[in-house]
Amino acid sequence: MMKKTAIAPANIAFIKYWGKRDVRLNLPTNGSISMNLSAFHTITTVAFNQTKSDQIFLNGIPAGKQEALRISAQLDRIRSLAQVSFPARISSKNNFPTGVGIASSASGFAALTLAASRALGLRLSKRKLSILARRGSGSACRSIPDGFVEWIPGTSDENSYARSLYPASHWDLHDLVVLVSRRSKKVGSSEGHSLVLTSPFFEARLREIAGRLRRLKQALGRKDFRIFGEIIEEEALNMHAVMMTSKPALFYLEPVSLAVMHKVVAWREEGLESYFTLDAGPTVHIICQGKDSKKLAQQLKAVSGVMELVDNEAVVGARVIEENLF
Amino acid sequence: MMKKTAIAPANIAFIKYWGKRDVRLNLPTNGSISMNLSAFHTITTVAFNQTKSDQIFLNGIPAGKQEALRISAQLDRIRSLAQVSFPARISSKNNFPTGVGIASSASGFAALTLAASRALGLRLSKRKLSILARRGSGSACRSIPDGFVEWIPGTSDENSYARSLYPASHWDLHDLVVLVSRRSKKVGSSEGHSLVLTSPFFEARLREIAGRLRRLKQALGRKDFRIFGEIIEEEALNMHAVMMTSKPALFYLEPVSLAVMHKVVAWREEGLESYFTLDAGPTVHIICQGKDSKKLAQQLKAVSGVMELVDNEAVVGARVIEENLF
């Protein structure tokens, strides 16, 4: 019964992955740090030798050509490790909409990699799983380990992987994900990555980032929320400054995103402490401590233009589960 | 009758003044290029020897302490040139609100410098006037010459001044000034200038800017609107990227500013061509050709949150006029 189902969380990066030193291997130009998100996940069932060729369903619909090619390429890597060539039947479901700033490829390729490797009887280490997931989609490597995660950038396929810095229980941080638009992005992350070198600021970003990683790890270890928050805002603005000075300019923020950011700063000045971060999209991630999450969620929902709010905590990484999507 | 009145326009910079190499002399880190604005001006009457001490009214109200000190210091420079020490009576009026992204100090110090020097019988060259105006407020040097103006950054008080590149008639460009907020800025331009060195991107900005100045001058000479527009957007985003990565981060844009910018890009894709630029404030400047100004003005006014729109053309610089504000 070469069939397994896995669940993997999406993750929010506090220090971002933006720029590749190797496009084929998804080696990043810099390390990154993230937290797995409790409310956003992908569940994927993989079964081998039930079909004549790879048969892939995403959210109940046959995968498009580009998606199917990318997924089959990832399956090939796993089949080659197991030294088999069985076709795979796959069903994968996200519990969240795609293209709104929640990285579906991260949870998706993490769940796929774990389910497919276990279905073929492979017992890979977390490090090896993370490396494999990275080949499918860079940030997917961070959805394998538990809780608070660091992606060590490495210099080759073998040493670029993510590991858990702390379990989810380490710190009661919340990520209030504020959806402001269901419009799909004009420029996807992969294309964005390739534009990074056209920004005059990218080199300066790289020079700074090692220091920022070190400071963030310290603040995470000491649970110093103020320092932690200041660093993640600095980092998000730094990445968006690089994006908006790329050629062509990448402009992911919507007016409502900016309104939410202004509110967060104003509330903080009044004593209600939270900090924003942003990925390559209009969605705003508001990071707060558990004690403030309910009040902040309430206030954020009242901001004009906010479409939906999802409260996340830190959570474990990819897991095999007993479910079956077929 | 040591009394004169002068009028001077505000100006919009296409390549920005952001960063000082000498704070006392207002020597800029880089050259800049601007256009005088036909709809925003300051009128200033200066009379010497009518009062016992400097008496300064701004928009009908006695100047605040900080403002008065700054204006008297500028008067001292002019009195010292004329080798007199007469007290001055001053009335100065802007035809636009302050603190919304129209540089009132530019038109203000240009008008003051011209009126005061002429009231004392000084016949200064345009270059000398521009140098003097610069001492009062950096960008004021650009409101002295006519039309399209370049500020040559220079290396000393004597060689940092603005000159006209082309008269106002050279090109029928319009600046549709879109006011989105009457809230005064939290961080003024002077403080912003001093934060520029805290951005990791400032050096990279400086390395690029000579090339951008050269390309903009070419496009201005050839009246190549597409190239011109692409450069000014690139420059505005570049400056705001430096601002938002300063420590603390300077965040001048309001949600409505961003909405206007998105609209301009969308309309352009549909064939209605205009480009945005931004100073240190939420006001958006939409640069277009005369043939499109009416249609664009109409569409911009319909954008939700836009408070007011003012259509500007290029105009002559500071002039002595026969009016009298007393």
Side-chain angles (χ1 to χ4, degrees):
Chain A
M1 271 307 287
M2 291 178 292
K3 177 173 172 180
K4 285 288 177 202
T5 298
I7 184 170
N11 67 72
I12 177 67
F14 300 126
I15 303 289
K16 307 293 186 182
Y17 164 44
W18 195 245
K20 303 185 187 199
R21 63 183 281 173
D22 186 311
V23 173
R24 190 178 62 86
L25 295 174
N26 288 336
L27 299 182
T29 50
N30 57 271
S32 51
I33 292 179
S34 63
M35 174 178 112
N36 290 329
L37 298 179
S38 60
F40 297 111
H41 61 249
T42 301
I43 295 180
T44 303
T45 300
V46 181
F48 287 96
N49 248 357
Q50 291 191 352
T51 50
K52 286 195 174 160
S53 59
D54 288 346
Q55 202 181 84
I56 305 165
F57 282 77
L58 301 178
N59 298 312
I61 299 165
K65 200 169 177 181
Q66 289 305 315
E67 293 166 315
L69 281 172
R70 196 170 163 197
I71 290 166
S72 285
Q74 180 70 351
L75 287 167
D76 286 344
R77 291 179 194 110
I78 298 160
R79 284 187 280 236
S80 132
L81 271 180
Q83 299 182 291
V84 300
S85 58
F86 310 135
R89 182 182 167 200
I90 292 176
S91 175
S92 184
K93 288 186 179 168
N94 302 324
N95 71 339
F96 57 94
T98 51
V100 293
I102 312 296
S104 59
S105 62
S107 54
F109 278 95
L112 174 71
T113 302
L114 179 57
S117 60
R118 292 290 288 276
L120 289 176
L122 294 168
R123 282 280 179 177
L124 304 173
S125 66
K126 282 221 166 183
R127 173 172 168 164
K128 185 66 191 162
L129 277 171
S130 178
I131 287 171
L132 261 180
R134 191 202 76 231
R135 295 295 303 274
S137 172
S139 56
C141 75
R142 294 191 311 236
S143 287
I144 297 287
D146 289 346
F148 298 90
V149 171
E150 175 180 27
W151 179 359
I152 297 156
T155 53
S156 70
D157 188 41
E158 290 70 36
N159 61 15
S160 180
Y161 67 99
R163 60 177 182 132
S164 182
L165 290 171
Y166 299 98
S169 59
H170 169 67
W171 197 4
D172 188 20
L173 278 193
H174 284 234
D175 175 6
L176 304 175
V177 177
V178 183
L179 304 184
V180 303
S181 169
R182 287 199 185 275
R183 194 169 83 172
S184 267
K185 301 188 274 192
K186 280 192 198 162
V187 179
S189 305
S190 298
E191 197 183 335
H193 272 288
S194 70
L195 291 177
V196 88
L197 289 170
T198 66
S199 167
F201 298 155
F202 183 59
E203 266 181 61
R205 169 170 166 76
L206 282 191
R207 277 198 299 275
E208 267 210 335
I209 212 159
R212 196 143 62 225
L213 276 162
R214 187 170 23 79
R215 288 187 290 130
L216 190 89
K217 275 204 273 191
Q218 278 172 6
L220 179 60
R222 289 199 306 258
K223 297 185 244 186
D224 184 330
F225 187 54
R226 191 176 62 76
I227 300 289
F228 185 86
E230 286 173 2
I231 297 169
I232 70 169
E233 282 195 358
E234 178 184 313
E235 164 66 2
L237 292 172
N238 186 291
M239 181 179 71
H240 277 260
V242 166
M243 288 168 167
M244 72 194 226
T245 52
S246 296
K247 279 131 202 154
L250 296 176
F251 227 75
Y252 288 116
L253 293 188
E254 295 282 336
V256 186
S257 321
L258 201 55
V260 167
M261 291 156 66
H262 281 305
K263 286 286 185 194
V264 160
V265 172
W267 294 336
R268 200 158 70 214
E269 283 166 6
E270 295 163 7
L272 182 58
E273 196 179 7
S274 73
Y275 299 86
F276 60 78
T277 184
L278 305 150
D279 279 347
T283 299
V284 190
H285 295 254
I286 306 303
I287 309 300
C288 67
Q289 298 171 95
K291 68 180 177 65
D292 296 321
S293 66
K294 288 208 172 51
K295 184 170 184 191
L296 276 161
Q298 212 169 19
Q299 292 189 198
L300 284 163
K301 280 181 197 164
V303 175
S304 165
V306 167
M307 295 184 54
E308 208 180 320
L309 185 142
V310 182
D311 189 350
N312 288 273
E313 302 171 52
V315 71
V316 292
R319 289 286 188 275
V320 173
I321 55 176
E322 287 303 312
E323 229 168 302
N324 178 358
L325 290 186
F326 301 151
Chain B
M1 270 306 286
M2 292 179 290
K3 177 172 171 179
K4 286 287 177 201
T5 298
I7 184 171
N11 67 72
I12 177 66
F14 299 126
I15 302 289
K16 308 292 185 181
Y17 164 44
W18 194 247
K20 302 185 187 199
R21 63 182 283 172
D22 187 312
V23 174
R24 191 178 62 86
L25 295 174
N26 287 336
L27 298 182
T29 50
N30 57 271
S32 52
I33 291 179
S34 63
M35 174 179 112
N36 291 331
L37 298 178
S38 59
F40 297 111
H41 61 248
T42 301
I43 295 180
T44 303
T45 299
V46 181
F48 287 96
N49 249 357
Q50 292 193 352
T51 50
K52 287 196 172 161
S53 59
D54 289 347
Q55 202 181 82
I56 305 163
F57 283 77
L58 302 179
N59 299 311
I61 300 165
K65 201 170 179 181
Q66 288 305 315
E67 293 166 315
L69 281 171
R70 198 170 161 196
I71 290 166
S72 285
Q74 179 70 350
L75 288 167
D76 287 344
R77 293 180 192 109
I78 298 160
R79 285 186 280 237
S80 133
L81 271 180
Q83 298 183 291
V84 300
S85 58
F86 309 136
R89 183 182 167 203
I90 292 173
S91 176
S92 185
K93 288 185 180 168
N94 303 324
N95 71 338
F96 56 93
T98 51
V100 292
I102 311 296
S104 58
S105 63
S107 53
F109 277 96
L112 174 71
T113 302
L114 179 58
S117 59
R118 292 290 288 274
L120 288 176
L122 294 168
R123 283 278 181 179
L124 304 173
S125 67
K126 283 221 165 183
R127 173 173 168 161
K128 185 66 191 163
L129 278 170
S130 178
I131 288 171
L132 260 179
R134 190 201 76 229
R135 296 294 303 274
S137 172
S139 56
C141 74
R142 294 192 311 237
S143 287
I144 297 288
D146 289 345
F148 297 90
V149 172
E150 175 178 29
W151 180 359
I152 295 156
T155 52
S156 70
D157 188 41
E158 290 70 34
N159 61 14
S160 180
Y161 67 100
R163 61 179 181 129
S164 182
L165 289 172
Y166 299 99
S169 59
H170 169 68
W171 197 5
D172 187 20
L173 278 194
H174 284 234
D175 175 6
L176 304 175
V177 177
V178 183
L179 304 183
V180 302
S181 169
R182 287 201 184 274
R183 198 169 80 172
S184 265
K185 300 187 277 190
K186 281 190 194 164
V187 178
S189 304
S190 299
E191 196 183 336
H193 272 289
S194 70
L195 289 179
V196 88
L197 289 170
T198 66
S199 167
F201 297 154
F202 183 58
E203 266 180 62
R205 170 171 165 75
L206 282 191
R207 276 198 299 274
E208 268 210 335
I209 211 158
R212 197 144 59 226
L213 277 162
R214 185 169 27 79
R215 288 187 291 131
L216 190 88
K217 274 204 274 193
Q218 278 173 5
L220 179 59
R222 289 199 305 258
K223 298 186 242 183
D224 183 331
F225 187 54
R226 191 176 63 77
I227 301 287
F228 185 85
E230 286 173 1
I231 298 170
I232 70 169
E233 282 195 358
E234 179 183 313
E235 164 65 3
L237 292 173
N238 186 292
M239 181 179 72
H240 277 261
V242 167
M243 289 168 166
M244 72 193 224
T245 52
S246 296
K247 279 132 202 153
L250 297 176
F251 227 76
Y252 288 117
L253 293 187
E254 294 282 336
V256 185
S257 322
L258 200 55
V260 167
M261 292 156 66
H262 282 305
K263 286 285 186 196
V264 160
V265 172
W267 294 336
R268 200 157 70 214
E269 284 167 6
E270 294 162 7
L272 182 59
E273 197 179 7
S274 73
Y275 298 87
F276 61 79
T277 185
L278 305 150
D279 278 348
T283 299
V284 189
H285 296 254
I286 306 302
I287 310 301
C288 67
Q289 298 172 95
K291 68 180 176 68
D292 297 321
S293 65
K294 289 209 171 51
K295 184 170 183 191
L296 275 162
Q298 212 170 17
Q299 293 189 195
L300 284 163
K301 279 181 197 163
V303 175
S304 164
V306 167
M307 294 183 56
E308 208 179 321
L309 185 141
V310 183
D311 189 349
N312 289 272
E313 299 171 54
V315 72
V316 293
R319 289 285 187 274
V320 173
I321 54 176
E322 286 303 313
E323 227 168 302
N324 177 0
L325 290 186
F326 300 150

